Amino acid sequence: MVRINGKNIEASGKLLKDYLLEAGYDITRLAVEKNGDIVPKAQYDKTILEDGDALEIVRFVGGG
Amino acid sequence: MGVPTKSELEEALAERIGWELAGRFSSASVALCGLGGLGSNIAIALARAGVGRLHLIDFDRVDISNMNRQQYAVRQLGMEKTQAMRENILAIAPYCEVVTDQVRVTEENLERLLKEDDIICEAFDVAENKAMLVNGVLERFPEKYLVAASGMAGFSSANSIQTRRITSRFFLCGDGVSDVEDGMGLVSSRVLVCAGHQAHAVLRILAGENDKSSS
């Protein structure tokens, strides 16, 4: 199980990029924190989600 | 009555918040990336709180469509936002060091632009630009603090706007969902609440208060 935005999700073994796309995220409008650190964008297609990882996916919406 | 001296203003501020906090605020350098509804209001709040150096960055000019929520006067229509905001800050805090860059922040220039600043406020309006700046700052400046915003459009309750601590140095303000692209306009009061959260997050970082809590 991977904890993503406070929910336990069956995503162990998946590439971060694949998870984001499957879950419907727009990669150009987010930032990803994993276990306390930000994941660089260039690492999305190299980062494999592991059992016990905790992720916070921050989605940006327009307005300011 | 003439313009008060620097020490008169410093003493008036220290009477309210004490010399220690006033000293921490006056020795800080804060960057405002974007001088719209968020950035213009954050800048005014930080100037009033005695932040010593404000770095204003925007590529735009003051437009009539900004008047509903941004801290400019109608006589400033057409001015570069960095120059108009410099005027407005100095009218409040004449001894604040105001540094301006009338430029669009990009992945290529953000490292050069932001290297001198302690705390960076993301105050853009376009979602992709927000994400670009947040990722760029967090990847390239792991030692700096970042205060960003997402979700302040529309008429939902002001109480849904919050500050969350995402990492030890990254704070996010807003309700996370109210997107201006969904047709909800931006209303001065709710944008001001979000800008207030951002300015307050900056001051709490400088005061060392966030070490005691989660936001």
Side-chain angles (χ1 to χ4, degrees), chain B residues 153-209:
Chain B
F155 267 99
S156 293
S157 170
N159 292 344
S160 57
I161 291 180
Q162 298 189 334
T163 299
R164 289 196 303 138
R165 190 175 196 170
I166 307 295
T167 72
S168 60
R169 290 175 175 266
F170 171 31
F171 295 78
L172 183 67
C173 306
D175 67 14
V177 291
S178 299
D179 191 338
V180 77
E181 283 183 17
D182 294 338
M184 297 179 280
L186 290 160
V187 185
S188 62
S189 46
R190 205 159 186 266
V191 174
L192 192 71
V193 170
C194 192
H197 268 265
Q198 287 187 276
H200 199 61
V202 168
L203 296 178
R204 279 169 55 79
I205 290 165
L206 294 173
E209 287 291 327

Side-chain angles (χ1 to χ4, degrees), chain A residues 30-47:
Chain A
L30 53 77
V32 180
E33 172 264 341
K34 181 166 82 83
N35 305 332
D37 292 314
I38 216 72
V39 182
K41 287 226 151 178
Q43 299 296 319
Y44 287 5
D45 58 359
K46 299 180 184 76
T47 301

Side-chain angles (χ1 to χ4, degrees), chain B residues 4 19 47 103 107 118 126 178 196 201 213:
Chain B
W19 284 106
V103 66
E107 274 181 84
D118 309 314
V126 176
S178 299
S213 69

Side-chain angles (χ1 to χ4, degrees), chain B residues 34-147:
Chain B
L35 294 172
L38 295 172
S40 65
N41 282 298
I42 298 167
I44 297 289
L46 296 181
R48 289 197 189 278
V51 169
R53 184 179 186 270
L54 292 171
H55 183 185
L56 312 178
I57 310 171
D58 201 301
F59 63 87
D60 214 354
R61 288 173 181 270
V62 181
D63 182 78
I64 196 164
S65 64
N66 304 150
M67 299 310 295
N68 73 329
R69 67 189 190 286
Q70 304 186 17
Q71 291 293 344
Y72 302 102
V74 283
R75 64 173 168 77
Q76 295 178 313
L77 287 171
M79 276 180 80
E80 291 183 343
K81 284 189 175 177
T82 53
Q83 297 314 308
M85 188 43 57
R86 180 211 293 272
E87 260 183 22
N88 298 347
I89 289 169
L90 294 179
I92 293 165
Y95 306 105
C96 181
E97 183 188 352
V98 181
V99 181
T100 61
D101 277 298
Q102 182 76 21
V103 66
R104 188 187 287 271
V105 182
T106 65
E107 274 181 84
E108 290 69 38
N109 67 12
L110 74 86
E111 204 163 339
R112 176 180 60 76
L113 279 172
L114 300 172
K115 61 178 190 290
E116 305 289 333
D117 304 303
D118 309 314
I119 301 179
I120 294 151
C121 290
E122 177 282 307
F124 293 154
D125 53 358
V126 176
E128 285 82 357
N129 295 343
K130 288 172 174 287
M132 179 277 294
L133 182 67
V134 165
N135 283 290
V137 168
L138 293 171
E139 287 178 27
R140 290 178 226 189
F141 295 116
E143 78 289 359
K144 293 188 194 291
Y145 285 95
L146 174 67
V147 180

